[in-house]
């Protein structure tokens, strides 16, 4: 008789565990996003640098033989960070249109990365990661950016964010150096309790 496959387990990663698993984490990211392999080296440096920022935390799902199936991390956003400055520029450009979303940048946790390996997508691991990362994140809001037109399967990231109550902060935003339009989405924390009718 063969043993049933082990259920994935959700774990928090310390900075050193994150560094040890960085190669696998970036592999999940590149595969999930459909990015070229060449982006890995530059991401390594950036992700490691992020892990020293205030409020940084990371979570992961581990499968059979502790294979990394999914990873997410983020940190407290603030002035002087590239992402903060880029989003502030976008929000300032909205002011003339009568929309004032500037409050969003006070006291937020930036959900920087959230990726589930394509083999493991579609069974709630993404929601589990997001909930674990944001539980006790130490800020009153969460912000993230996501491509307006994402990888396959279409719209899964969008469905997840909408299901959890994220609303539009900026749409069709162009970050410096990237031709793709992004949405910036946000919501108040804490998240509502999970809907147990799903399982
Ligand atoms: C976006 C992403 C992180 C979502 O993770 P996921 O595990 O695939 O998705 P979810 O947690 O939302 O769950 C997926 C499905 O499982 C279903 N599900 C089944 N059981 C569930 C449970 N107990 N709890 C929650 N969802 C459950 C949901 O209905 C959902 O269906 P849907 O996608 O058709 O709406 C993942 O698809 C991914 O990495 N995509 C590519 C990279 C990417 O776009 N990252 C985000 C960039 S900002």
């Amino acid at each position: 008789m063969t043993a049933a496959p082990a259920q994935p387990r959700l774990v928090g990663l310390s900075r050193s565990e994150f560094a040890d698993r960085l190669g696998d984490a970036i592999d999940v990211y590149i595969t999930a996003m459909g990015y070229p392999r060449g982006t890995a080296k530059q991401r390594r440096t950036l992700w490691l640098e992020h892990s020293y920022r205030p409020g940084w935390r990371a979570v992961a799902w581990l499968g059979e033989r502790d294979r990394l199936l999914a990873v997410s991390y983020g940190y407290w956003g603030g002035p002087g960070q590239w992402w903060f400055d880029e989003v502030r520029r976008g929000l300032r450009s909205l002011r003339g249109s009568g929309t004032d979303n500037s409050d969003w940048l006070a006291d937020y946790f930036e959900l920087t990365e959230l990726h589930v390996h394509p083999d493991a997508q579609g069974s709630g691991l993404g929601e589990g990661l997001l909930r674990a990362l944001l539980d006790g994140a130490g800020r009153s809001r969460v912000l993230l950016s996501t491509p307006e037109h994402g990888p396959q399967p279409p719209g899964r990231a969008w469905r997840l964010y909408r299901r959890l109550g994220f609303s539009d902060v900026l749409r069709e935003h162009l970050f410096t150096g990237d031709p793709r339009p992004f949405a910036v989405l946000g919501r108040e924390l804490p998240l509502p309790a999970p809907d147990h009718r799903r399982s």
Side-chain angles (χ1 to χ4, degrees):
M1 199 173 83
T2 48
Q7 288 297 315
R9 30 188 207 108
L10 182 59
V11 294
L13 298 177
S14 66
R15 187 181 297 128
S16 64
E17 289 166 333
F18 181 74
D20 287 347
R21 290 189 176 271
L22 196 56
D24 292 339
I26 289 177
D27 197 60
V28 166
Y29 156 77
I30 284 176
T31 313
M33 294 300 281
Y35 287 159
R37 299 258 130 215
T39 46
K41 194 170 167 215
Q42 171 249 345
R43 287 283 135 179
R44 278 189 77 88
T45 312
L46 188 69
W47 287 26
L48 273 182
E49 188 260 304
H50 285 167
S51 74
Y52 286 87
R53 293 191 175 182
W56 177 90
R57 53 198 349 233
V59 292
W61 282 99
L62 305 180
E64 295 272 347
R65 290 187 287 278
D66 276 355
R67 175 184 162 220
L68 189 96
L69 301 176
V71 66
S72 182
Y73 78 81
Y75 47 80
W76 297 338
Q81 295 171 0
W82 180 84
W83 196 89
F84 176 99
D85 294 339
E86 289 283 312
V87 173
R88 183 171 55 184
R89 172 176 58 78
L91 291 175
R92 282 183 175 157
S93 71
L94 281 185
R95 275 194 194 148
S97 67
T99 311
D100 187 0
N101 277 348
S102 51
D103 278 0
W104 278 105
L105 287 179
D107 193 44
Y108 73 94
F109 181 86
E110 180 190 323
L111 197 166
T112 314
E113 304 290 349
L114 172 75
H115 305 289
V116 178
H117 192 282
D119 296 348
Q121 288 178 16
S123 56
L125 297 195
E127 181 171 337
L129 272 188
L130 198 148
R131 286 185 175 283
L133 188 74
L134 297 181
D135 184 18
R139 286 291 185 259
S140 61
R141 299 184 188 91
V142 52
L143 287 176
L144 60 86
S145 52
T146 191
E148 292 277 0
H149 315 287
Q152 296 298 320
R156 181 155 272 162
W158 277 90
R159 283 202 296 279
L160 172 62
Y161 300 141
R162 291 299 194 220
R163 190 164 78 232
L164 294 181
F166 281 78
S167 61
D168 294 349
V169 176
L170 283 175
R171 293 299 302 266
E172 305 286 335
H173 180 63
L174 293 174
F175 285 96
T176 303
D178 194 332
R180 298 167 304 159
F182 277 77
V184 176
L185 306 178
R187 70 152 290 137
E188 304 292 319
L189 291 176
L191 291 180
D195 181 354
H196 291 295
R197 288 168 303 175
R198 306 176 66 84
S199 42

